[in-house]
Amino acid sequence: MTIRLTVAQALVRFLAVQFTERDGERRRLIGATWGIFGHGNVAGLGQALLEHGDEMPFHQGRNEQAMVHAAVGYARQSNRLATHAVTTSIGPGATNLVTGAALATVNHLPVLLLPGDVFATRPADPVLQQLEVPHAADVSVNDTLRPVSKFFDRINRPEQLIPSALAALRVLTDPVETGAVTLALPQDVQAEAYDWPEEFFAERVWTVRRPGADPAELAAAVTAVRTARRPLVIAGGGVHHSRAEAVLAEFAAATRIPVASTQAGKGSLRWDHPQDVGGVGHTGTATADELARTADLVIGIGTRYTDFTTASGTLFENPDVRFLNLNIAAYDGHKLAGLPLVADARSALTELKQALDGHRTADSYVTEYTEDKERWEQRVDACYEADEPDIRPTQPQVLGALDALVDDTDVLINAAGSLPGDLHRMWRARSRDQYHLEYGYSCMGYEIPAAIGVKLAAPERNVWALVGDGTYLMMPTEIVTAVQEGIAIKVLLVQNHGYASIGGLSESVGGERFGTAYRFPSDDGTFTGAPLPVDLAANAASLGMRVLRAKTVRDLRSALAEARAADTPTCVYVETETADTVSGPPPAQAWWDVPVAETATRSAAVKARELYERHVSTRRRHL
């Protein structure tokens, strides 16, 4: 039996009956489709989504990159068991997908991209928005998505869709390979009819695997843990992807091994778990970083060991340090010349805990990191405190006001600027999914659309997008989508008049904050004059969002509480005291490599180079 449908209609019907399953939990894989229509998809996918609207929910976007961010936010909140599709026209609509696709792939988060493409039959050549490549007639702008996609295909014939769609779904549901998947759809092929086998539209369930540990690798891991005197776990995003948080908590409690976390892994343990020592690396806590410096065994669980985590190769100072890498991806399991334990995090942690059979670290070690953690929390308290509630808050005091308000059901989303450092060092994560930091790609503009995606995945949760003014100006457009669909996200908009994070970095590397402030030019040509007369609160209001302005700490506390209780999209706008600087306390506890000019005439750069060379000399390759 066959069913006659266009390619676009067939794709929509196919996607509507794809499911994932893990641990008995079954989810619809493609929960909805985002779209902005143009001549490359309006008569194909646009018509198909209209015709099959009862099978495939639709969300209207304002920016193609933002639509991908929303889909990624939905996928992360759904534990990678569900995601959204995104369709665009050809030309700039398609190329706007590239940044979002890179973010998804870097973070191992699934998203399905369906950009329109130029005519496969080439009745007119070139067509509107077509890129002509004289040496390769089969190239279109969609080829820019190849290097940032985990799977890419161009559907030039209707029958090609069947194997390609199945391959795309295989990649989306693979815990190792998942990321952005692109099916480029020429606009004439989208509208072409074909007799499809009925079986193509049968419900299909994709099982998300939990591979266990290899016995030999597990035995080596057990030996490594048993012989270590100062072991440290570094929990990465793989802990969350595997839903291994509860098993990790049991493992840490049983062995008493301290657990530090990357940006992606924060929240793997609650902040008040006895073995949680906070963030690690350049944006980490003093407690975690000191443990990392003296550790003789680092147990990386689901981490890629980025430069922020390793302090650009300077953090792990113990000459006898070894690495044990529990990771579902063999590529990451072999990093830093570590012992690989290639398996699903939850499965392997369960096996490792059983094999250790009651092994525990020494009492003196537990006392050491427990006391260090208490001292660190006292420093955080001092940063959060606001003894004078009628003054303008600092950025840490903004976080302190939010910390005092939320409970374990709230979700915080951030990606770029100075907030990630402050959050990683200070935020007290109360649940496994409260802390949502996109720091693999650290993409400005991610927060607001991702908050929409998270809210769609968890409508009962309070979802906060924490954005600075620089990030806000990158992509406020999806506020309109939130207003249109009544998606009650909360936006905490922090105004510090510029790229504060990069301004601080610029100063530290001898760049003297050049080009990082939102100010009028001064007499010497630098942008250090008066702040620009930009009213971002008014801008958010003009897009339809309810806005609460907070001038003081007292105002802020009241506004945050009002926003949290709101059932409509609401923004809290606050200008921080440290307008020209990154929030100072607590400072970075470890180095990060940003090369400094080797020759310079300005004294700031010369001094920065001297300090840089001292840090570089401590870098170590673990072989």
Side-chain angles (χ1 to χ4, degrees), residues 112-123:
L112 177 60
L113 308 180
L114 305 173
D117 212 328
V118 297
F119 286 80
T121 54
R122 302 178 190 174

Side-chain angles (χ1 to χ4, degrees), residues 392 469-470 473 495-500 503 512-534 575-582:
R392 181 186 295 175
D469 50 293
L473 286 168
Q495 169 67 278
N496 53 28
H497 299 288
Y499 301 122
E512 302 176 47
R513 297 183 176 270
F514 176 72
T516 62
Y518 293 161
R519 293 178 175 272
F520 286 108
S522 57
D523 292 339
D524 62 0
T526 60
F527 291 88
T528 56
L532 299 178
V534 176
E575 186 172 351
T576 56
E577 181 62 34
T578 51
D580 293 320
T581 62
V582 176

Side-chain angles (χ1 to χ4, degrees), residues 254-320:
T255 62
R256 304 194 301 183
I257 297 174
V259 177
S261 57
T262 67
Q263 285 279 16
K266 191 174 173 76
S268 294
L269 296 184
R270 274 184 59 103
W271 75 275
D272 53 1
H273 188 288
Q275 272 64 56
D276 181 75
V277 293
V280 70
H282 177 63
T283 54
T285 69
T287 307
D289 284 353
E290 187 57 33
L291 289 171
R293 291 184 179 97
T294 59
D296 58 358
L297 178 67
V298 175
I299 307 170
I301 304 176
T303 178
R304 298 185 296 128
Y305 289 115
T306 67
D307 61 342
F308 259 59
T309 299
T310 67
S312 299
T314 64
L315 186 58
F316 307 111
E317 297 179 356
N318 189 325
D320 299 319

Side-chain angles (χ1 to χ4, degrees), residues 4-5 17 45 103 143 151 163 197 208 235 240 276 290 334 347 351 389 402 429 443 446 462 484 490 561 587:
R4 189 161 183 81
L5 298 168
V17 292
L45 275 168
L103 180 148
D143 288 274
F151 177 83
V208 179
H240 293 310
D276 181 75
E290 187 57 33
H334 287 270
S347 298
E351 295 177 270
L402 190 60
C443 186
Y446 172 80
N462 285 304
Q484 179 182 32
K490 329 292 182 184

Side-chain angles (χ1 to χ4, degrees), residues 234-235 260-267 276-286 288-289 306 308-309 376-377 380 384 399 414 418-429 435 437 439 586:
I234 295 181
S261 57
T262 67
Q263 285 279 16
K266 191 174 173 76
D276 181 75
V277 293
V280 70
H282 177 63
T283 54
T285 69
D289 284 353
T306 67
F308 259 59
T309 299
W376 180 259
E377 293 303 329
V380 173
Y384 279 178
L399 298 181
N414 186 240
S418 58
L419 279 165
D422 287 353
L423 287 164
H424 197 207
R425 281 188 285 271
M426 295 190 293
W427 187 258
R428 292 160 172 164
Y435 188 87
L437 261 285
Y439 216 58

